[in-house]
């Protein structure tokens, strides 16, 4: 469904993403896993055309232009909301620009995430978690085939993150695809069909959890694999040694 | 119990924080190379410089007033003082209402001290200009009046300032509680106002002086009116205070006393309001109702909401009609008045585009052309509002703007706004200078030229054809831009 090849993102002289390639298939939850500053957000932003980049990005074989944006639901990492609007006014705006025809699904999402309680407050007065819910609903409302979520579980309470996870599963069962980023192993391990481990702008490993395990030649959980792959296991051992003295 | 100077110091921290917020909101937040320390220092000097600059404006105003002391000029001075004071501090007061002083409760600070700190922080917003006015105007009055007039002048200035503060406190609260914190989507607009006021400081001083000179020159036109309804004017602000200083009559003294009493009530009201700031965590479990409309309607509705909930944008919306009226009433030519008015239409439309800069819109299925179009529609509506106001003025006063010129300007206004928005966007994408005062000035000039040249051509030989050709060219370019992906 989504295919990325040789993507490079530069901020001045800083190379944030360094020629990475991967594909996200129908019915797949694809996780980008990496430490802070690895280039996850930059990758996702490139897909949405939010940052300058080079390389090829296609959705169903087409470059991502205006019509393709309606096939994507995007949850940015930093809030991209309109603070003076109430959540409902915000949804109204997004739904109108997406030319949505009926609000039934939207209403169901609002109740699912219990947002009707905050109907009349400006977004600026909402808590972090509630703001994140607003972003998630805005991305899900038009039931797009591809979901792109940048650290979507940030700030969500247990109940809401459970709802989101279930929604993502339903979404892929119906043939949709999900691309999301996280720096938390457990989430990637639990949710993803496929994981790309990314470090310093490069993909250092890619595959299912099992495949990653063989690549890293360690047994154990994803955290060990991850640290081994990013070459940070030795660094951490050093820090621990120093601190325990 | 902490001493006042200690509390003053603590309030300084809150004030700096507020200034920091305003500064950050006013700028493009990107990762800049400046260290935190350098940035903090810059903001500190900036806030002080801003206050000094503002005080200078007030001092210039007082000087003008001193040159022709009369009830009318004093009244004009007091009214302008109230108006400008309110205008300049509205933004900061809105920020003040966002401070959460309850954060002090994790420290050993009593509730009483907490309230004092809030009050001192509030005073810090106005400190230097407030004091400058209290000092300068009485001195100016002394040039032409006995010593006790200076004392009365202090009272008059104080009343005017408190009136202004009551006004901004009320508006600030309204803007705060009725939504609107100057936040992400609005940063573009806030930045603009900031640039307008401080970035174009020299331009502002120049415009301001021109403006004052004309106002004070024209003010004597009102003398017969003052004569005829003298008793009425002794009763109402600001003329009652002007009478009080120059020529105290029993009626003006009585009504001034009443004003002072009201001012004391005003101070009480302010105190009550700033000490009871709390984030109200009220819950509304309401029925949800959502109206999905067409993309353009959805966009316009959103922009309308942003405009009405943001002090900065509301003000930018009001500038064009005010500017037009001002130019017109000061006897400028229709042509000049229209061009000056249009300058503010450009600023208004471009701020709207700025509010879109880092918004979610870029991830939604709309074209760039669509976004320009939506902003140009609002700019054009503002233009029509300004023209309507000018036309009403013409109807009431018999003289005014030339209707044929208005009609002539209509075909291209829309096209020019679109072109300017596109150029501004290009500058911003490629060079990131559009938001600097240099970039803004450039766009203003470009817009004015594109707007003014066809109108000017009209009165030349073969003008109709040349004018039509120029307008057609602009319209074709604009249509091209609207079709952009
Ligand atoms: N707007 C920007 N300007 C300059 N550098 C940036 C910008 N955004 C990100 N970076 C840098 O690019 C790198 C990758 O950032 P990002 O994609 O946000 O990583 P992640 O999401 O994996 O934490 C980091 O080194 C970060 O400092
Ligand atoms: Mg990130």
């Amino acid at each position: 469904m989504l295919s990325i090849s040789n993507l490079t993102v530069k901020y001045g002289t800083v190379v944030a993403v360094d020629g990475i390639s991967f594909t996200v298939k129908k019915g797949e939850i694809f996780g980008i896993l990496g430490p802070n500053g690895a280039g996850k957000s930059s990758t996702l932003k490139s897909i949405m055309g939010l940052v300058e980049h080079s390389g090829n990005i296609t959705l169903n074989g087409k470059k991502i232009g205006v019509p393709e944006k309606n096939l994507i639901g995007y949850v940015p990492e930093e809030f991209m909301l309109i603070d003076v609007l109430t959540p409902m006014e915000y949804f109204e705006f997004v739904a109108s620009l997406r030319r949505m025809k009926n609000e039934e699904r939207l209403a169901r999402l609002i109740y699912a995430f219990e947002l009707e309680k905050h109907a009349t407050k400006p977004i600026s007065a909402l808590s972090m978690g509630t703001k994140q819910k607003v972003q998630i609903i805005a991305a899900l409302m038009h039931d797009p085939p591809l979901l792109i979520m940048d650290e979507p579980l940030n700030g969500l309470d247990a109940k809401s993150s459970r709802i989101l996870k279930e929604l993502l599963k339903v979404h892929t069962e119906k043939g949709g695809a999900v691309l999301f980023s996280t720096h938390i192993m457990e989430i990637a391990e639990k949710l993803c069909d496929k994981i790309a481990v990314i470090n310093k702008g490069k993909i250092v490993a890619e595959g299912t959890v099992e495949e990653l395990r063989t690549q890293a030649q360690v047994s154990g959980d994803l955290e060990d694999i991850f640290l081994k792959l990013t070459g940070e296991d030795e660094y951490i051992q050093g820090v621990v040694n120093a601190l325990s003295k | 119990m902490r001493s006042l100077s200690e509390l003053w110091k603590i309030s300084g921290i809150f004030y700096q924080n507020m200034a920091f917020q305003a500064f950050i909101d006013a700028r493009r937040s990107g990762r800049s190379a400046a260290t935190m320390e350098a940035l903090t220092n810059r903001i500190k000097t900036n806030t002080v410089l801003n206050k000094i600059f503002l005080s200078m404006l007030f001092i210039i105003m007082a000087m003008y007033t001193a040159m022709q002391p009369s009830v009318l000029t004093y009244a004009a001075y007091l009214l302008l003082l109230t108006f400008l004071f309110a205008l300049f501090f509205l933004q900061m007061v809105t920020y003040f209402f966002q401070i959460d002083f309850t954060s002090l409760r994790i420290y050993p600070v009593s509730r009483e001290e907490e309230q004092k700190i809030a009050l001192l922080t509030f005073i810090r917003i106005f400190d230097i200009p407030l004091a400058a006015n209290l000092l300068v105007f009485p001195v100016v009055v002394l040039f032409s009046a006995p010593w006790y007039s200076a004392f009365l002048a202090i009272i008059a200035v104080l009343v005017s300032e408190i009136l202004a503060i009551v006004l901004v406190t009320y508006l600030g609260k309204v803007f705060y509680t009725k939504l609107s914190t100057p936040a992400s989507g609005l940063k573009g607009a806030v930045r603009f106002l900031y640039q307008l006021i401080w970035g174009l400081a020299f331009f502002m001083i120049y415009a301001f002086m021109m403006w004052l000179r004309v106002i004070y020159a024209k003010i004597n036109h009102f003398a017969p009116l003052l004569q005829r309804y003298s008793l009425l004017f002794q009763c109402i602000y600001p003329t009652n205070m002007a009478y009080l200083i120059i020529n105290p009559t029993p009626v003006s003294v009585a009504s001034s006393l009443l004003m002072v009493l009201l001012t004391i009530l005003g101070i009480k009201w302010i105190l009550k309001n700033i000490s009871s700031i709390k984030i109200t965590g009220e819950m509304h479990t309401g029925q949800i109702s959502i109206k999905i409309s067409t993309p353009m309607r959805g966009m316009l509705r959103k922009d309308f909401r942003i405009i009405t909930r943001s002090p900065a944008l509301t003000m930018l919306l009001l500038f064009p009609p005010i500017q037009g009226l001002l130019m017109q009433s000061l006897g400028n030519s229709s042509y000049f008045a229209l061009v000056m008015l249009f300058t503010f239409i450009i600023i208004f439309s471009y701020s709207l585009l700025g509010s879109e800069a880092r918004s979610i819109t870029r991830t939604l299925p709309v074209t760039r052309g669509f976004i320009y179009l939506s902003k140009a529609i609002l700019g054009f509506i503002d233009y029509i509002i300004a023209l309507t106001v000018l036309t009403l003025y013409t109807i009431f006063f018999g003289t005014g703007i030339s209707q044929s010129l208005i009609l002539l300007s209509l075909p291209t206004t829309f096209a020019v706004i679109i072109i300017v928005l596109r150029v501004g966007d290009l500058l911003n994408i490629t060079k990131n200078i559009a938001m600097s005062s240099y970039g803004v000035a450039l766009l203003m000039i470009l817009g004015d030229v594109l707007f003014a040249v066809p109108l000017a051509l009209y009165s030349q030989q073969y003008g109709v054809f040349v004018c039509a050709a120029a307008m057609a060219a602009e319209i074709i370019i604009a249509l091209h831009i609207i079709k952009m992906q």
Side-chain angles (χ1 to χ4, degrees):
Chain A
M1 181 176 278
L2 177 74
S3 154
I4 291 177
S5 75
N6 213 10
L7 175 71
T8 301
V9 181
K10 287 184 190 150
Y11 300 103
T13 54
V14 180
V15 181
V17 179
D18 194 359
I20 68 174
S21 309
F22 61 89
T23 4
V24 183
K25 297 196 188 77
K26 266 181 92 161
E28 191 172 77
I29 300 187
F30 192 103
I32 303 183
L33 177 66
N36 295 327
K40 305 181 292 293
S41 298
S42 302
T43 305
L44 302 188
K45 280 181 191 166
S46 309
I47 302 170
M48 298 313 295
L50 294 173
V51 289
E52 291 282 320
H53 59 271
S54 65
N56 253 323
I57 301 173
T58 57
L59 180 63
N60 298 329
K62 287 198 205 109
K63 272 205 171 336
I64 297 179
V66 172
E68 283 73 27
K69 287 199 177 151
N70 224 8
L71 305 177
I72 307 176
Y74 172 62
V75 177
E77 181 180 23
E78 291 153 9
F79 295 121
M80 286 175 96
L81 296 163
I82 303 170
D83 286 4
V84 293
L85 301 183
T86 66
M88 300 308 141
E89 290 167 345
Y90 181 72
F91 296 143
E92 225 171 80
F93 165 66
V94 175
S96 299
L97 260 62
R98 286 200 165 121
R99 299 169 193 276
M100 273 171 59
K101 287 289 172 285
N102 76 70
E103 54 269 17
E104 207 177 301
R105 179 180 162 84
L106 176 54
R108 265 187 282 132
L109 283 169
I110 289 169
Y111 286 114
F113 285 96
E114 299 179 322
L115 225 70
E116 75 279 3
K117 286 186 221 157
H118 307 282
T120 57
K121 274 192 230 165
I123 290 175
S124 60
L126 302 179
S127 69
M128 297 281 276
T130 314
K131 282 185 188 175
Q132 184 67 349
K133 287 185 198 172
V134 173
Q135 294 208 123
I136 289 171
I137 294 175
L140 294 172
M141 61 161 82
H142 57 309
D143 201 8
L146 175 63
L147 290 172
I148 297 181
M149 307 194 150
D150 202 348
E151 314 252 0
L153 300 179
N154 272 359
L156 284 192
D157 52 30
K159 195 157 130 202
S160 301
S161 45
R162 185 56 180 267
I163 293 174
L164 179 61
K165 286 179 202 160
E166 295 302 325
L167 279 174
L168 293 186
K169 281 197 189 125
V170 174
H171 178 75
T172 48
E173 276 159 21
K174 285 195 307 185
V178 181
L179 170 63
F180 83 95
S181 80
T182 181
H183 61 275
I184 301 165
M185 325 295 150
E186 290 81 6
I187 295 174
E189 193 165 7
K190 261 210 198 125
L191 264 170
C192 297
D193 301 309
K194 227 170 158 193
I195 297 170
V197 180
I198 161 172
N199 192 29
K200 298 190 181 118
K202 287 200 165 89
I203 293 184
V204 291
E206 191 186 332
T208 60
V209 177
E210 281 314 310
E211 285 165 0
L212 291 182
R213 200 163 279 154
T214 26
Q215 273 186 48
Q217 293 167 327
V218 286
S219 59
D221 60 8
L222 195 60
E223 186 166 301
D224 299 325
I225 304 170
F226 175 73
L227 292 175
K228 176 99 193 224
L229 285 170
T230 53
E232 276 170 32
D233 49 346
E234 284 164 26
Y235 167 76
I236 288 173
Q237 201 51 52
V239 172
V240 172
N241 287 344
L243 286 175
S244 51
K245 263 179 205 152
Chain B
M1 208 59 201
R2 288 174 180 76
S3 69
L4 196 62
S5 74
E6 240 178 311
L7 292 177
W8 178 252
K9 250 187 223 153
I10 299 175
S11 76
I13 298 170
F14 281 99
Y15 181 73
Q16 286 305 331
N17 229 331
M18 203 165 94
F20 191 82
Q21 196 57 48
F23 186 87
I24 295 296
D25 281 354
R27 308 249 146 171
R28 195 139 261 261
S29 89
R31 294 173 209 210
S32 88
T35 62
M36 211 53 188
E37 200 182 347
L39 193 61
T40 320
N41 282 333
R42 204 157 104 210
I43 291 167
K44 266 188 197 162
T45 33
N46 245 51
T47 42
V48 175
L49 281 180
N50 287 355
K51 283 178 181 170
I52 291 176
F53 169 62
L54 185 57
S55 307
M56 300 263 284
L57 285 187
F58 283 130
I59 291 171
I60 293 171
M61 207 165 83
M63 302 288 216
Y64 262 112
T65 315
M67 285 195 275
Q68 37 170 319
S70 73
V71 171
L72 278 172
T73 53
Y74 280 14
Y77 169 81
L78 292 174
L79 197 62
L80 278 173
L81 181 70
T82 312
F83 175 69
L84 290 175
F85 212 77
L87 184 75
F88 276 98
F89 289 116
L90 179 57
Q91 198 71 40
M92 265 308 203
V93 169
T94 313
Y95 279 103
F96 174 83
F97 282 105
Q98 291 172 56
I99 302 180
D100 181 11
F101 287 98
T102 51
S103 62
L104 278 170
R105 298 200 185 147
I106 51 174
Y107 305 106
V109 172
S110 69
R111 287 299 292 270
E112 201 181 317
E113 285 172 328
E114 188 183 306
Q115 289 187 357
K116 275 189 191 152
I117 290 168
L119 176 63
L120 291 174
T121 311
F122 190 72
I123 290 175
R124 272 180 186 271
I125 300 176
F126 312 99
D127 53 6
I128 300 175
L130 187 120
N133 285 326
L134 284 174
L135 279 176
V136 175
F137 190 58
V139 171
V140 161
V141 166
L142 274 183
F143 290 150
S144 60
W147 64 269
Y148 60 82
S149 299
F151 173 71
L152 295 172
I154 293 181
I155 294 178
V157 170
L158 201 59
V159 167
S160 302
E161 286 179 334
I162 300 295
L163 194 68
I165 296 176
V166 168
L167 200 67
V168 283
T169 306
Y170 175 73
L171 289 176
K173 247 184 110 85
V174 167
F175 277 125
Y176 173 71
T177 47
K178 283 238 173 82
L179 313 171
S180 170
T181 54
S184 65
L186 294 172
K187 278 174 191 157
V190 177
R191 177 167 56 238
F192 248 91
L193 200 69
Y194 185 92
Q195 295 289 3
L196 253 186
I197 295 173
W198 310 122
L200 301 175
F202 287 108
F203 171 76
M204 285 285 289
I205 291 181
Y206 172 75
F208 187 73
M209 303 235 294
M210 292 276 288
W211 197 54
L212 274 185
R213 211 180 64 204
V214 186
I215 287 182
Y216 279 86
K218 293 257 166 180
I219 203 154
N220 284 329
H221 288 317
F222 291 98
L225 206 64
L226 190 74
Q227 211 97 68
R228 186 137 36 109
Y229 301 107
S230 161
L231 209 58
L232 174 70
F233 281 109
Q234 288 176 38
C235 290
I236 57 169
Y237 178 83
T239 33
N240 58 353
M241 291 266 162
Y243 270 108
L244 180 74
I245 301 168
I246 290 201
N247 168 23
T249 59
V251 176
S252 65
V253 171
S255 87
S256 298
L257 258 176
L258 193 68
M259 287 288 294
V260 172
L261 284 180
L262 284 177
T263 306
I264 293 170
L265 287 182
I267 294 175
K268 278 207 176 133
W269 182 83
I270 294 170
L271 287 179
K272 199 183 92 202
N273 271 284
I274 55 179
S275 59
S276 68
I277 316 152
K278 254 173 254 122
I279 311 288
T280 45
E282 50 186 319
M283 280 277 199
H284 292 275
T285 338
Q287 196 64 29
I288 57 161
S289 84
I290 289 165
K291 283 185 236 86
I292 301 176
S293 52
T294 62
M296 187 49 86
R297 281 223 205 108
M299 188 71 159
L300 294 178
R301 190 178 292 162
K302 177 216 76 172
D303 278 340
F304 179 75
R305 282 174 173 147
I306 291 185
I307 293 166
T308 50
R309 287 165 197 181
S310 129
L313 275 175
T314 310
M315 232 169 258
L316 287 180
L317 175 82
L318 295 180
F319 269 148
I322 291 173
Q323 175 74 1
L325 270 187
L326 207 70
M327 287 285 144
Q328 201 56 63
S329 61
L330 301 183
N332 286 293
S333 75
S334 295
Y335 181 66
F336 187 64
L338 220 52
V339 175
M340 290 314 287
L341 178 163
F342 186 71
T343 312
F344 284 95
I345 297 287
I346 293 174
I347 293 172
F348 172 67
S349 319
Y350 192 57
S351 320
L352 285 177
L353 186 67
S355 74
E356 213 72 83
R358 280 172 306 137
S359 86
I360 193 76
T361 313
R362 291 169 67 198
T363 69
L364 298 175
V366 290
T367 63
R368 271 330 269 173
F370 172 89
I371 295 175
Y372 300 140
L373 186 63
S374 66
K375 309 304 170 233
I377 289 176
L378 288 167
F380 191 69
I381 290 176
D382 198 17
Y383 185 66
I384 298 293
I385 292 173
L387 291 184
T388 310
V389 170
L390 282 183
T391 307
L392 287 179
Y393 176 93
T394 313
I395 293 170
F396 279 125
F397 292 92
T399 65
I401 198 145
S402 133
Q403 292 301 305
S404 55
L405 195 66
I406 287 185
L407 287 178
L408 190 61
S409 76
L410 284 179
T412 54
T413 308
F414 201 78
V416 174
I417 301 173
I418 299 249
I419 296 172
V420 171
L421 289 179
R422 176 61 192 153
V423 173
D425 210 19
L426 274 178
L427 287 180
N428 211 21
I429 292 166
T430 55
K431 297 237 169 60
N432 225 332
I433 61 163
M435 286 301 179
S436 67
S437 39
Y438 166 58
V440 176
L442 204 75
L443 288 180
M444 279 161 56
I445 293 168
L446 174 73
D448 279 346
V449 168
L450 289 178
F451 178 79
V453 166
L455 298 186
L457 287 175
Y458 187 74
S459 52
Q460 308 299 311
Q461 207 180 359
Y462 305 117
V464 189
F465 301 108
V466 190
C467 170
M471 286 188 169
E474 286 174 358
I475 292 171
I476 290 169
I477 296 173
L479 285 177
H480 223 73
I481 293 171
I482 295 174
K483 286 206 209 97
M484 270 183 58
Q485 279 298 297

